[in-house]
Amino acid sequence: MKGLAKRIIPCLDVKDGDTVKGTNFIHLRRVGNPVALGKAYSEAGADELVFLDITASAEGRKTFKEMVSRVAAELNIPFTVGGGINELYDVESLLNAGADKVSVNSAALLRPQLIDEIASHYGSQVCVCAIDARQEPDGWRCYIKGGRERTDRSLFEWAREAADRGAGEILFTSMDHDGAKQGFANEALAELAEIVDVPIIASGGAGDMTHFRDVFTRGKADAALAAGTFHLGEIKIPELKHYLHKEGINVRTTI
């Protein structure tokens, strides 16, 4: 088991102060309190936590900092926050609220220079470029505003540009796989791993422990993010890490 440890990352999709989960970016339902969930995941051995204010961009507002601060106060693991980040002031505000990294999506696609600005002011390690994409007849296409609006940008072209501009990580969510619990988009992930030289976080499709094994082996991902399957208790992080360790995958574990 060589190389950097693979990371397991729960994701809190937050809307109106509640953690929600949907399928293919729609049919959202409440699944818990972000503060309580964040604390539980930190204590359960998650490697990082992602908090996404999923309607901030579509509603044209900033991320709710007060909730970010409350979640951050309960964590002892790296904390990434996204939603409604359009300028450097937003980044500084969230870092001051307790975030370690920020995730940019819609705003970066609309104004790619935002990535350069974040990387030059705070370092690439602070900038995660999140990409929501769907497989269309003309290839993988990027979407913005929480999956509501299609763009003409290709997943692979945009990921390469984002990394070149200074993004420290790429968080790729397959909208087709989101919430389906049938496994990650491993072919697309493996292709991403070939063309960018920054870590890839896989998102969309986790349903059982074998999906995590496959995303690390076949998908070549550096980290795997999941939401519903963790929130609903279908997979527990200590058990998942024990399974991955037995499968020969390098994970941080107390075993």
Side-chain angles (χ1 to χ4, degrees), residues 235-246:
I235 295 178
K236 300 190 185 325
I237 289 173
E239 295 169 8
L240 172 60
K241 287 195 165 188
H242 182 72
Y243 165 80
L244 292 170
H245 181 78
K246 287 201 303 181

Side-chain angles (χ1 to χ4, degrees), residues 126-140:
V126 167
C127 185
V128 178
C129 182
I131 305 176
D132 300 329
R134 173 172 277 148
Q135 196 163 24
E136 309 276 9
D138 57 347
W140 284 90

